[in-house]
Amino acid sequence: MPTFLSVLLRGLLAGLVAGLIAGTFAYLVGEPRIDAAIAIEERATHSAPEVGADHHAEELVGRDGQRAGLFLATGLFGAAMGGLLATGYVLLRRRLRSSDDGRAALLLAGAVLLGAVVVPFGKYPANPPAVGNPDTIDQRTGSYLLLVLLGLVAVWAGALAHRSISPHASDAPRAAAAVGAFLLVTVVAYTVLPSFAEVPGDFPATLLWEFRLASLGTQVVLWTGIGLLFAVLLGWRGRNRPPSVDSGPERSAGTPDGAEAPAGR
């Protein structure tokens, strides 16, 4: 059985590689949209010289440095998320109703993608430069992080609802219960949390949604890559080993300490 450290190292490696892949996607798809948004912002600052001076004074890292740092940032973020996924896998493996480790890893990565990425995107999609009021950045950040947590709670509620239906029932009622519980928590979260309508009326809608979809696509590539690579790395431990994580020595019920179970059992 694999130790926690071996599973953690697999998660870190999977996350690092997936982060670099996601960084490549962001560079090819997202960076052109960022450049276009920055061009709009610079045109606006040139029309107000006092604002433009403050803007350039606050710029600490140029665009070339930002592009180079993109891969470092996505690689480190991916490694961190891979480590968290591996930790969650160790803690939740016995609760995942799958005898295949790779499938269990994919299910867990998909659950995180749904709860921590897709749910927040539905209410707080990413905005490019020149969009957003600096005075509300703390409130927007706090609301987004809270929605990430509530999105994971929504996924957990759906899993509980799925388990609450009798295993002898057909797939339809169990799926309906899971979707209903997930949507209930999500709708409540969307209703309770504040909304922010800060997109300027003259900002190109096409550019706005191209940037948002590129941002979402980067996260999808990241978590898909982490799930697939982590599943592959878990498979390397040996297909003939039990699909469970080492949680300490086990004994057969009724077998005294130091004694061996009878042969053939």
Side-chain angles (χ1 to χ4, degrees), residues 10-33:
R10 287 175 171 88
L12 291 172
L13 178 58
L16 177 61
V17 176
L20 295 176
I21 295 174
T24 302
F25 177 89
Y27 182 84
L28 296 176
V29 179
E31 282 297 311
R33 278 73 188 177

Side-chain angles (χ1 to χ4, degrees), residues 192-212:
V192 172
L193 292 176
S195 299
F196 302 95
E198 299 179 349
V199 178
D202 58 347
F203 194 89
T206 300
L207 175 60
L208 175 66
W209 280 103
E210 285 179 350
F211 175 86
R212 288 176 170 177

Side-chain angles (χ1 to χ4, degrees), residues 32-226:
R33 278 73 188 177
I34 294 178
D35 289 337
I38 290 177
I40 294 175
E41 184 181 26
E42 289 181 345
R43 285 197 297 269
T45 57
H46 289 331
S47 63
E50 67 282 357
V51 176
D54 293 338
H55 171 74
H56 290 294
E58 295 175 357
E59 188 178 85
L60 299 178
V61 181
R63 285 295 295 145
D64 292 338
Q66 293 174 10
R67 293 189 185 96
L70 171 65
F71 294 94
L72 176 62
T74 56
L76 292 178
F77 180 76
M81 293 302 100
L84 289 177
L85 181 69
T87 302
Y89 174 86
V90 171
L91 296 175
L92 302 174
R93 178 63 186 95
R94 297 183 185 278
R95 296 180 178 272
L96 298 174
R97 295 182 177 179
S98 175
S99 60
D100 183 80
D101 284 344
R103 183 180 179 187
L106 288 173
L107 287 174
L108 192 58
V112 176
L113 173 62
L114 177 60
V117 176
V118 177
V119 170
F121 180 84
K123 187 172 179 68
Y124 300 133
N127 286 327
V131 174
N133 183 359
D135 295 333
T136 63
I137 187 170
D138 291 337
Q139 185 180 5
R140 285 185 282 124
T141 301
S143 298
Y144 178 85
L145 293 177
L146 181 56
L147 187 53
V148 170
L149 178 61
L150 292 176
L152 295 174
V153 171
V155 174
W156 175 71
L160 286 183
H162 186 273
R163 288 172 176 266
S164 67
I165 306 299
S166 171
H168 302 292
S170 63
D171 292 337
R174 302 179 74 184
V179 172
F182 169 79
L183 291 178
L184 176 62
V185 176
T186 302
V187 170
V188 171
Y190 279 10
T191 303
V192 172
L193 292 176
S195 299
F196 302 95
E198 299 179 349
V199 178
D202 58 347
F203 194 89
T206 300
L207 175 60
L208 175 66
W209 280 103
E210 285 179 350
F211 175 86
R212 288 176 170 177
L213 293 177
S215 176
L216 177 63
T218 301
Q219 291 290 329
V220 171
V221 170
L222 173 67
W223 283 103
T224 301
I226 291 177

